[in-house]
Amino acid sequence: MHTASTTLALIGNTPLVRLKGPSEASGAEIFAKCEFANPGASVKDRAALSIVEDAEERGLIKTGGTIVEGTAGNTGIGLALVANAKGYHTIIVMPETQSREKMDTLRALGATLVLVPAAPYSNPCHFVHQSRRIAEETPNAVWANQFDNVANRRAHITGTAEEIWTQMDGRIDGFTCAAGTGGTIAGVGLGLKAHDPRVTIALSDPHGAALYNYYAHGELKSEGSSVAEGIGQGRITANLEGAPIDTQFRVSDADGMFWVERLLREEGLCLGLSSGINVAGAVALARTLGPGSRVVTILCDTGFRYLSTLYNRDWLAAKGLPIPAHLEGS
């Protein structure tokens, strides 16, 4: 029987599953990394562990120190768990627009939660800038800086990409996911292309983000809006610099919710909207690559983190999103 040497060793090495509905819809083989299987139930656990261990290796944090981060929630949850296992405290700055479940989880994990109004990155009150200032003012503290700390994408170059390559037996035609910090798509893209430069790396961008136009037309320009949490970017972060993105798709919330609902109803997977957007992008990429192609994407986190939003009839109606049949009477 194989056992993990420490609780932190439980991060990564997540299962890869073939998705039946998306595969049939695209005429290809679509696989997904089940990142909800991480201890913090999201892909962000990988970046959290890498960032903290990098800070330790560089002597930026000492015993009893504090890790400060601005996050939409999942990275904060990952950091809180890693910090608890290593004896650190966490201060998490999060936009007040994020789901109640994320806020409750962070408090339950012992993190100090600072909620701030949503603001554009150009505004000094943006949650990232506020987290940096708190880190500067707190003794023995380190700012995780997930957007521009390339320890984030290293976790995916050395971890996620290598796992995918092994699990796919080196037979992979394409990979796609959305970008928040850019660490996952850049890291997995760089890692896979190191094995085979022919692997197509595609961005699945939600409406309201600027990267689709950047990679398609060379201009950071956003159009529309999205309610998806944790994805969508308006600038080229350090993690995105040099990302080997070959093509791009723009995915609406409605298309993402279509797959969230189908995967729950048909395959027993309860997922968040970012996962639905990734799966919609994987279907689009598979159709582009042709019948029989093998495409991988990321199931970012669990839908149990969005019970008050994506799985709430009134919230969906208020956002103008389709209401699944099983929620109609709720």
Side-chain angles (χ1 to χ4, degrees):
M1 183 176 67
H2 177 73
T3 60
S5 57
T6 71
T7 54
L8 293 178
L10 297 172
I11 295 174
N13 293 308
T14 54
L16 187 76
V17 63
R18 179 184 182 273
L19 299 179
K20 182 175 182 289
S23 295
E24 291 176 351
S26 64
E29 297 291 309
I30 293 180
F31 301 84
K33 282 287 268 178
C34 299
E35 293 301 298
F36 52 79
N38 283 304
S42 91
V43 67
K44 296 296 187 177
D45 285 12
R46 296 176 184 267
L49 179 60
S50 182
I51 287 169
V52 173
E53 291 188 337
D54 177 73
E56 290 175 330
E57 290 168 7
R58 293 195 288 147
L60 299 179
I61 189 168
K62 297 177 176 60
T63 303
T66 300
I67 301 162
V68 185
E69 182 58 324
T71 166
N74 280 333
T75 302
I77 290 167
L79 285 169
L81 289 173
V82 171
N84 286 353
K86 288 178 170 286
Y88 303 128
H89 178 58
T90 46
I91 300 175
I92 302 301
V93 183
M94 190 167 74
E96 59 190 9
T97 52
Q98 305 308 290
S99 74
R100 186 180 68 238
E101 289 81 2
K102 288 180 179 177
M103 300 175 191
D104 291 345
T105 298
L106 282 162
R107 293 188 181 106
L109 297 179
T112 298
L113 180 60
V114 179
L115 295 176
V116 300
Y121 186 78
S122 57
N123 188 319
C125 292
H126 186 273
F127 67 95
V128 170
H129 305 316
Q130 295 209 50
S131 69
R132 184 192 67 248
R133 289 195 294 271
I134 290 173
E136 291 170 349
E137 297 164 0
T138 303
N140 192 17
V142 64
W143 182 40
N145 190 20
Q146 61 169 325
F147 290 88
D148 295 302
N149 185 339
V150 294
N152 175 347
R153 79 176 185 187
R154 279 202 304 272
H156 300 288
I157 295 172
T158 61
T160 319
E162 292 301 311
E163 293 169 28
I164 290 171
W165 184 258
T166 299
Q167 290 168 318
M168 294 292 288
D169 295 321
R171 296 168 52 228
I172 174 173
D173 300 299
F175 172 83
T176 186
C177 71
T181 65
T184 304
I185 190 165
V188 174
L190 289 165
L192 290 177
K193 281 188 178 286
H195 284 286
D196 184 354
R198 297 171 298 175
V199 177
T200 298
I201 307 300
L203 170 71
S204 294
D205 214 29
H207 287 254
L211 296 183
Y212 172 85
N213 275 318
Y214 178 79
Y215 289 108
H217 309 296
E219 179 185 13
L220 280 168
K221 179 183 177 183
S222 62
E223 297 176 28
S225 63
S226 172
V227 298
E229 297 183 17
I231 59 172
Q233 185 54 258
R235 66 186 180 95
I236 301 301
T237 65
N239 282 294
L240 272 170
E241 288 178 5
I245 293 173
D246 300 303
T247 190
Q248 57 285 318
F249 303 99
R250 178 179 281 144
V251 182
S252 69
D253 285 354
D255 286 345
M257 285 298 297
F258 170 83
W259 284 112
V260 167
E261 195 274 332
R262 275 196 62 179
L263 288 167
L264 175 62
R265 175 167 44 88
E266 299 174 5
E267 304 190 41
L269 288 172
C270 184
L271 304 166
L273 181 53
S274 56
S275 297
I277 286 172
N278 285 352
V279 172
V283 170
L285 176 58
R287 287 171 174 165
T288 299
L289 295 176
S293 56
R294 291 162 59 87
V295 172
V296 176
T297 191
I298 300 288
L299 302 181
C300 312
D301 64 2
T302 173
F304 300 142
R305 204 151 273 168
Y306 307 97
L307 299 181
S308 63
T309 56
L310 299 180
Y311 295 89
N312 180 291
R313 182 192 183 283
D314 293 338
W315 187 90
L316 291 170
K319 299 297 182 181
L321 290 168
I323 300 171
H326 68 280
L327 291 180
E328 280 289 358
S330 61

